[in-house]
Amino acid sequence: MYMDGFPLLSGPMGSLAVPQNGRSMRATSTFREGADGNYDPNAPPKGDLEEKSNRDNFRIPGGQTHVLMDVEGPGIITHMWITFLGPEAHPWAKDGSANHQELLLRIYYDGNEKPGVEAPVGDFFAGCFGKRSEVISMAVITEGGDSYNCFWHMPFHKSARVEIVNESEKPLSLLYYNIDWIKKDSLPADTPYFYAQYTQSYPLEAGGKPYTLLETEGKGHYVGTVFSVRTRSPYWFGEGDEMVTIDGEAIPSVWGTGTEDYFLCAWGLEKVLTPYFGVPYFDQWGIVGGHTSAYRWHINDPFLFKESIKVQFETFGWIAPDESVHKRAMSWNPREDDYASVAFWYQNGTPTFSARAPHARDRKLPNIERSVVIVSELDYGQINTLATDELPRLEYDGRKVKESKEKQVQRYPELFDNPVLFVPASLEGQNTLEIPFEVTEKEPLRLLINMAKGPNLGVFEVFLDGVRLGEQMDFYSPNVEAREYHFLDFWPDPGTYTLRLECIGKNHLSSGYGFTIESVRLRERRPRVKEMALDIDNDWRTNPIYYAGT
């Protein structure tokens, strides 16, 4: 409906009141029973009272590909809904399942051998690092972190095939899906295709070279970014600007003011979800090994290009004094963090962008732990705990509070990679824990402990070989949550060290003086720190240094 050449009704609600052409279709995992009683993709959906009618899912072994949709066009994919079991052990998957970073989503248009969409399932839906994150936005909604919804429109002229490649050694368990599409009589010849491509750099190239999310020739418009970073240095990583170079220009037409500004936040990033931008995952500010993921949808403000586009981030940020030639923290320095991204765009024809997603084993972040002591795996003879075990105390069994007299090894797979040791205490001064660890090489390291906060935990101080480190740690929280506590940047000599946790009280809201600990960790610093060796002669016992993020 037009008047004087302009739409009479516009916007998502107004467009519902205008005539629409086509026929609604769906590709689904609903069970279809063949003549032999097994699944047959060519059979009609089973819709009777037999329990078999509810077998609407698939189990995809490691290394195999499952085709979710393979249809002839013309048409437009309008919505995808996918769900499956998480990676943790489950009664229906006792050894666990593939996580969504190990699953590769590929969408092929019109028989093209190269996928138009190629990205890990998690990253495509803005859930990065293999962690399930809730996302509530216009383009993508992942309710509770496990119902993956996509509302990007994906036109195709001849055919469309949607598949998931399980690149894990574990199965993809209980895969359910619905893909809605509209079959058309025809599409305009110049209808652009929807593209999405994953890239990564583990770590960034040295010297401050910009990180490229997309570089392609042709005509189209850039519509979105998913971005994730794991920091290799302390302090803030995101001073770098976005730079969008259009149609081969010498200087980018679109030049921003900082990474958080591109994602429409200010003065850094923190967890937030909005229709057009968000930060689904953010663990801790300014630490070595911190994780941040963000999305930005250019639904109302796409970047248009006629001949070519290059989308980049500068890779500058704050660094600590021991990796600066000026021996002081500075805001404009090349960093070497771990970056990954998904670029979303529409384009006529086939892009020239040659990037391809690496295999799942290479998408997993490289290990930066030089030493990890899992406290729950130590024999009680290896740790010195002065907690009294005779008195009843409150402790957690999953999410339920119960009374117990014993230390407990517990699992919180949504919070910790390893089991945790819970040591309860109901009286002040009961809890002290000493944990030994070994250093085999003199090198720059970051000392930290991975702890839980909770409603029955105390206030503690930490000592290393008798040297007090950091501030008091209040482990109280109304809910159980994970947190890393970082204490020391040092060059320890080879040998055995003892970390001591000592209870000094509790928050007035806490019901106990206990603690829950997963591990003591020595985390490697960026290679530049070892090469410069600015703090190699510092005596940490008389001058303990911790480069806290700023």
Side-chain angles (χ1 to χ4, degrees):
M1 298 173 65
Y2 289 84
M3 180 177 291
D4 298 330
F6 294 94
L8 182 62
L9 299 170
S10 62
M13 302 302 289
S15 64
L16 297 177
V18 300
Q20 300 191 37
N21 300 314
R23 185 181 188 281
S24 293
M25 308 287 286
R26 171 174 286 182
T28 177
S29 62
T30 190
F31 184 69
R32 301 169 185 270
E33 186 176 27
D36 60 357
N38 295 318
Y39 178 82
D40 181 352
N42 297 314
K46 185 175 176 62
D48 54 31
L49 295 179
E50 291 188 27
E51 187 176 12
K52 187 184 292 186
S53 293
N54 197 38
R55 296 179 184 175
D56 297 330
N57 63 78
F58 294 91
R59 182 181 184 275
I60 315 304
Q64 294 194 14
T65 297
H66 181 79
V67 177
L68 287 70
M69 171 180 171
D70 192 356
V71 299
E72 294 183 356
I76 304 173
I77 297 172
T78 57
H79 169 243
M80 295 194 299
W81 167 83
I82 303 171
T83 192
F84 44 86
L85 289 185
E88 63 275 2
H90 187 279
W92 290 332
K94 294 183 179 180
D95 295 325
S97 303
N99 74 49
H100 63 199
Q101 189 184 42
E102 298 171 317
L103 308 174
L104 194 62
L105 175 67
R106 284 178 172 154
I107 302 177
Y108 296 84
Y109 305 122
D110 297 348
N112 197 319
E113 293 184 356
K114 182 179 179 181
V117 171
E118 185 184 61
V121 169
D123 296 73
F124 181 85
F125 290 91
C128 305
F129 311 114
K131 298 181 181 295
R132 288 187 158 187
S133 301
E134 183 166 63
V135 179
I136 308 296
S137 75
M138 288 289 290
V140 168
I141 298 175
T142 311
E143 175 272 331
D146 57 11
S147 68
Y148 302 80
N149 290 274
C150 164
F151 295 93
W152 295 111
H153 281 204
M154 307 177 190
F156 54 95
H157 292 272
K158 298 178 182 179
S159 64
R161 186 172 86 252
V162 180
E163 64 183 33
I164 288 180
V165 185
N166 181 8
E167 296 183 330
S168 173
E169 296 180 356
K170 295 184 178 182
L172 166 55
S173 303
L174 301 190
L175 171 65
Y176 294 82
Y177 53 87
N178 292 313
I179 302 179
D180 296 306
W181 65 287
I182 297 175
K183 188 173 181 62
K184 295 283 192 177
D185 293 331
S186 64
L187 290 174
D190 62 350
T191 300
Y193 294 97
F194 171 82
Y195 291 102
Q197 182 63 54
Y198 172 87
T199 55
Q200 69 181 42
S201 182
Y202 293 167
L204 295 168
E205 295 185 43
K209 182 179 179 181
Y211 174 77
T212 300
L213 294 83
L214 172 66
E215 184 173 11
T216 184
E217 295 179 358
K219 182 179 185 296
H221 45 286
Y222 186 84
V223 296
T225 301
V226 167
F227 173 72
S228 63
V229 58
R230 197 266 304 268
T231 56
R232 295 283 190 107
S233 297
Y235 296 16
W236 169 236
F237 68 87
E239 293 295 334
D241 306 335
E242 79 273 19
M243 302 181 297
V244 183
T245 305
I246 296 173
D247 297 341
E249 60 196 358
I251 300 175
S253 293
V254 179
W255 196 307
T257 56
T259 307
E260 76 269 39
D261 306 336
Y262 169 75
F263 289 102
L264 305 186
C265 297
W267 308 109
L269 295 170
E270 61 184 1
K271 190 171 181 178
V272 65
L273 301 175
T274 82
Y276 302 111
F277 68 93
V279 182
Y281 191 84
F282 179 87
D283 49 15
Q284 289 178 235
W285 178 270
I287 63 172
V288 176
H291 301 79
T292 303
S293 66
Y295 64 87
R296 167 77 158 93
W297 309 136
H298 296 274
I299 294 174
N300 297 309
D301 55 345
F303 297 141
L304 311 183
F305 57 98
K306 295 180 180 180
E307 299 175 2
S308 65
I309 190 171
K310 180 163 62 175
V311 183
Q312 297 177 298
F313 285 149
E314 292 179 314
T315 56
F316 295 98
W318 288 82
I319 59 174
D322 67 342
E323 52 185 295
S324 166
V325 295
H326 304 283
K327 196 63 173 68
R328 62 185 177 89
M330 298 180 65
S331 69
W332 197 246
N333 294 272
R335 289 176 57 104
E336 297 173 18
D337 301 308
D338 298 311
Y339 276 23
S341 62
V342 182
F344 300 79
W345 76 102
Y346 286 88
Q347 182 174 343
N348 296 104
T350 303
T352 60
F353 194 43
S354 61
R356 296 299 303 270
H359 191 276
R361 58 178 169 265
D362 299 314
R363 296 196 296 268
K364 186 177 180 180
L365 286 167
N367 184 18
I368 59 173
E369 312 292 5
R370 298 295 289 158
S371 174
V372 180
V373 178
I374 308 300
V375 178
S376 64
E377 296 178 355
L378 295 176
D379 294 333
Y380 284 149
Q382 294 178 269
I383 58 176
N384 175 28
T385 176
L386 305 181
T388 305
D389 288 333
E390 302 82 58
L391 301 174
R393 302 172 179 93
L394 292 177
E395 68 187 56
Y396 273 81
D397 179 9
R399 291 186 174 86
K400 297 180 180 179
V401 178
K402 69 177 186 177
E403 199 171 72
S404 174
K405 298 180 181 180
E406 303 296 332
K407 310 178 189 72
Q408 272 199 1
V409 174
Q410 302 172 343
R411 289 290 318 212
Y412 291 94
E414 70 277 17
L415 298 177
F416 297 98
D417 293 333
N418 302 290
V420 298
L421 177 68
F422 171 60
V423 180
S426 58
L427 298 177
E428 185 171 1
Q430 280 189 320
N431 263 344
T432 298
L433 179 72
E434 293 183 345
I435 306 165
F437 62 86
E438 296 288 332
V439 173
T440 59
E441 177 186 348
K442 188 178 179 68
E443 61 181 329
L445 298 170
R446 164 69 63 96
L447 173 67
L448 62 131
I449 53 176
N450 201 9
M451 304 286 293
K453 302 184 73 174
N456 57 341
L457 306 181
V459 176
F460 285 76
E461 291 183 338
V462 66
F463 300 83
L464 181 63
D465 285 1
V467 178
R468 185 177 180 274
L469 303 176
E471 304 296 329
Q472 296 177 0
M473 300 172 296
D474 184 353
F475 294 145
Y476 170 77
S477 173
N479 302 304
V480 178
E481 58 187 69
R483 181 176 176 83
E484 291 182 355
Y485 292 84
H486 293 227
F487 300 103
L488 187 64
D489 291 291
F490 67 146
W491 291 69
D493 293 317
T496 301
Y497 297 79
T498 300
L499 184 137
R500 176 184 175 95
L501 282 169
E502 185 173 318
C503 182
I504 60 171
K506 73 178 184 70
N507 189 299
H508 71 283
L509 297 174
S510 178
S511 62
Y513 297 84
F515 63 86
T516 302
I517 183 170
E518 187 236 31
S519 58
V520 175
R521 296 170 181 255
L522 294 173
R523 187 165 291 168
E524 69 180 27
R525 295 291 306 280
R526 173 186 178 189
R528 176 186 175 108
V529 178
K530 188 172 185 178
E531 294 164 5
M532 299 180 74
L534 297 178
D535 287 345
I536 190 171
D537 296 323
N538 179 67
D539 185 353
W540 65 267
R541 291 177 176 82
T542 59
N543 182 35
I545 295 174
Y546 167 52
Y547 293 115
T550 184

